[in-house]
Amino acid sequence: MPAMNKMESGYASINGIKMHYEIHGESSLIPIVLIHGGGSTIPSNWGTMLPLLATHYKVIAMELQAHGRTSDRDRDESFKQDAADVISLLQHLNIHKANFIGFSNGGSTTLEIAVNRADYINKAVVISCGYKRDGMINGLFDGLQQATFKDMPEPLKKAYLDVNPDEKGLLNMFNKDRARMLAFTDRTDEEMRSITAPVLVMIGDQDVVTVEHTVQMHKVIPGSRLAILPGNHGSFIGEVMASDPASNTPALTVGIIKEFLDRP
């Protein structure tokens, strides 16, 4: 995994939580905002891609409610609340337009922003994310229903504890993330058709969202682009659960994203 670039970091007191954020790089007029998936931290989700992106762009990453170094609130997690928190962070940083990249649950948050806060989006990249329950692979929700903390992957547990050695906080994050996914509700095609920002939809050919559903999502978002890459959930971005230091695919993924973002 590449070393993280030099960066500045801090906490923003927004919407009743203290949100940890980092800013890497400085070269782009329009920054990139990275939104991580469930059970993740900035290093576990973006440790491979972030330094590659930061050589070309100013990159802002955060840890969402109850994740990593960000505090919790006495309220369930939701994609709507996550989207509001991301927008509040950008307001705190005096940023009014950005490119968004969201992975997995972070893709759902990115879609929430694209549908309801389009004024903040220049372009969006939605990675390994569906918009309907039946777009997920068979058994996903049944598995979540039966899942306990023992089933949480060890690399994600370690990644949390590496940045926040709080066992109770880790268990809390697991429980809230699980509940949020079990409560997942479909977006309508009409909502998806309302998206006005340019969108790149990306998926692995062995992902937790089916390729067929991803093609459907690409077709329903006006003018969107589609990239289907070899790999499973997270492998083509180098996420900690699927990272392969010998793989060139994350660099290729960044190249595809860069071409999409840089095209007028």
Side-chain angles (χ1 to χ4, degrees), residues 3-7 23-28 32 34 46 48-60 101 254 258:
M4 301 287 278
N5 290 339
K6 290 183 179 180
M7 56 86 181
I23 302 175
H24 298 250
E26 57 184 3
S27 59
S28 56
I32 289 175
L34 299 179
W46 303 116
T48 299
M49 277 186 60
L50 200 162
L52 299 175
L53 289 166
T55 61
H56 305 287
Y57 307 98
K58 181 178 182 178
V59 182
I60 300 162
I101 303 176
V254 169
K258 185 176 185 301

Side-chain angles (χ1 to χ4, degrees), residues 185-229:
T185 56
D186 294 353
R187 285 204 172 275
T188 66
D189 287 355
E190 288 73 22
E191 285 179 308
M192 302 297 282
R193 292 191 187 101
S194 75
I195 294 173
T196 56
V199 175
L200 170 62
V201 180
M202 306 188 81
I203 195 73
D205 62 354
Q206 298 177 5
D207 220 307
V208 300
V209 182
T210 69
V211 170
E212 292 80 8
H213 176 70
T214 306
V215 171
Q216 177 187 347
M217 183 163 68
H218 154 61
K219 289 181 177 178
V220 79
I221 299 175
S224 69
R225 307 303 302 270
L226 173 65
I228 302 172
L229 298 172

Side-chain angles (χ1 to χ4, degrees), residues 71-159:
S71 65
D72 195 15
R73 55 168 67 88
D74 188 18
R75 195 183 312 160
D76 290 341
E77 294 176 351
S78 71
F79 299 125
K80 183 176 182 179
Q81 182 64 63
D82 285 343
D85 292 344
V86 171
I87 295 301
S88 293
L89 173 64
L90 295 184
Q91 292 168 345
H92 173 82
L93 297 173
N94 199 31
I95 293 169
H96 304 290
K97 186 74 73 172
N99 295 311
F100 289 75
I101 303 176
F103 169 69
S104 194
N105 283 180
S108 297
T109 301
T110 300
L111 288 177
E112 177 71 28
I113 295 170
V115 170
N116 293 306
R117 292 306 308 262
D119 52 314
Y120 272 84
I121 292 188
N122 181 56
K123 294 183 179 182
V125 182
V126 177
I127 303 172
S128 301
C129 163
Y131 75 104
K132 292 185 183 293
R133 288 178 74 94
D134 65 8
M136 310 301 177
I137 58 173
N138 290 335
L140 178 70
F141 289 104
D142 290 340
L144 278 172
Q145 189 69 57
Q146 303 300 321
T148 69
F149 182 63
K150 291 190 301 182
D151 300 308
M152 184 178 182
E154 289 300 324
L156 293 182
K157 290 180 179 178
K158 181 180 184 302

